[in-house]
Amino acid sequence: MKFGEIVNNFSVPPHPKGISIEGKLVSLKPLVADQFSKELFLSNALDKENINWAYLPYGPFKTEPEYHKWIESFEKNDDPIFFAIISKKLNKATGIASYLRINPADGLIEVGHINYSPLLQRTTEATEAMFLMMKWAFDNGYRRYEWKCNALNLRSRNSAQRLGFSYEGVFRQMAIVKGQNRDTAWFALIDKEWKKVEDCFKKFLSSSNFDKQGRPIVSLSALTKPLLYKLDNLDCS
């Protein structure tokens, strides 16, 4: 009896521990406290109202030693794998992101713990960082790339769909975070969709897509929106 599509020619992809990823605008390096905690702490300190930490299960951190200790607590772990996002223009780390729920056996990997300082937010560098992480995952054989967030975090939900992730639903009462209920919205991109989404990123990030003031002529959302999978495509009959 057949319960789903047969998966042929699948090879278990590599684990991302220890990798670095190089782009035109940013570099992603393993997040090491001794190397990056100070400049990340200073970059994060520009967020005077601590808005960045609202939906994260940790932070804000009052001192750099406290932030340093937090990084040290996971830098040797195998999951999640954190990266410092280094701006080549500013020559310093301006944000972090991670791979998590890493499951090479099933070709599954998630992006999360994204925390962009004000220096990185709403920049082309920020978009390239997400593109580089996606590209590494699919180039290395992962089948499914996930994004999850608090269902109330509309900014994160909109970001996911802008980046080409399709909405898959909400898991209710999935966690308690900082004493509050969290319903979790799920988004994903699969390998069959990646080539078209990758083309959207290439068009968006192309120098020809930016005017003399550095503003994009065509938005990434406009490019990816037609590709998003609709929940009503699911046949549960």
Side-chain angles (χ1 to χ4, degrees):
M1 184 177 295
K2 182 179 177 182
F3 294 101
E5 179 183 349
I6 301 299
V7 179
N8 292 313
N9 303 317
F10 173 69
S11 298
V12 176
H15 194 281
K17 187 174 180 64
I19 68 165
S20 295
I21 312 174
E22 198 70 27
K24 290 176 61 179
L25 305 176
V26 297
S27 298
L28 278 68
K29 305 288 186 184
L31 182 56
V32 177
D34 288 345
Q35 188 173 359
F36 295 116
S37 67
K38 185 174 182 179
E39 56 193 36
L40 280 168
F41 181 80
L42 293 174
S43 294
N44 289 331
L46 297 173
D47 171 27
K48 301 297 183 182
E49 298 178 356
N50 291 321
I51 295 172
N52 282 8
W53 306 98
Y55 290 104
L56 292 170
Y58 42 78
F61 299 95
K62 295 181 180 179
T63 65
E64 190 274 327
E66 184 182 359
Y67 187 60
H68 186 284
K69 185 177 180 180
W70 174 73
I71 295 174
E72 282 188 323
S73 71
F74 57 73
E75 64 184 22
K76 294 182 180 179
N77 293 349
D78 291 332
D79 193 343
I81 298 294
F82 277 85
F83 299 93
I85 301 170
I86 301 147
S87 164
K88 293 189 177 182
K89 180 180 178 180
L90 299 176
N91 194 32
K92 64 179 179 180
T94 56
I96 66 172
S98 78
Y99 289 130
L100 66 155
R101 292 187 70 247
I102 304 161
N103 180 356
D106 291 317
L108 167 68
I109 196 167
E110 180 180 340
V111 62
H113 296 284
I114 300 166
N115 192 354
Y116 287 174
S117 79
L119 295 173
L120 187 58
Q121 293 169 12
R122 300 183 182 277
T123 66
T124 309
E125 294 171 320
T127 300
E128 188 193 55
M130 290 294 97
F131 170 62
L132 292 172
M133 292 184 71
M134 282 184 185
K135 182 172 173 56
W136 184 90
F138 287 114
D139 283 356
N140 282 277
Y142 283 88
R143 303 175 62 238
R144 175 177 168 87
Y145 193 68
E146 294 183 337
W147 175 296
K148 300 188 186 74
C149 63
N150 189 308
L152 298 176
N153 190 349
L154 297 182
R155 183 176 175 183
S156 183
R157 293 178 68 149
N158 290 335
S159 293
Q161 295 195 294
R162 172 182 177 267
L163 295 169
F165 290 87
S166 293
Y167 173 67
E168 295 186 335
V170 171
F171 280 30
R172 298 173 298 164
Q173 296 190 183
M174 188 173 176
I176 299 172
V177 178
K178 295 178 177 176
Q180 300 177 65
N181 176 65
R182 169 171 156 155
D183 296 342
T184 296
W186 287 54
F187 300 82
L189 176 64
I190 61 175
D191 53 358
K192 297 173 185 177
E193 302 161 343
W194 168 239
K195 183 61 173 68
K196 289 183 178 179
V197 172
E198 181 182 24
D199 288 343
C200 292
F201 276 99
K202 288 179 178 179
K203 289 176 184 177
F204 174 76
L205 293 169
S206 170
S207 58
S208 62
N209 189 43
F210 291 85
D211 63 21
K212 293 180 179 179
Q213 286 73 43
R215 296 172 299 200
I217 297 167
V218 180
S219 71
L220 183 59
S221 295
L223 294 168
T224 58
K225 186 175 181 179
L227 303 178
L228 300 180
Y229 190 82
K230 304 297 188 296
L231 279 177
D232 56 13
N233 289 342
L234 292 173
D235 181 6
C236 297
S237 60

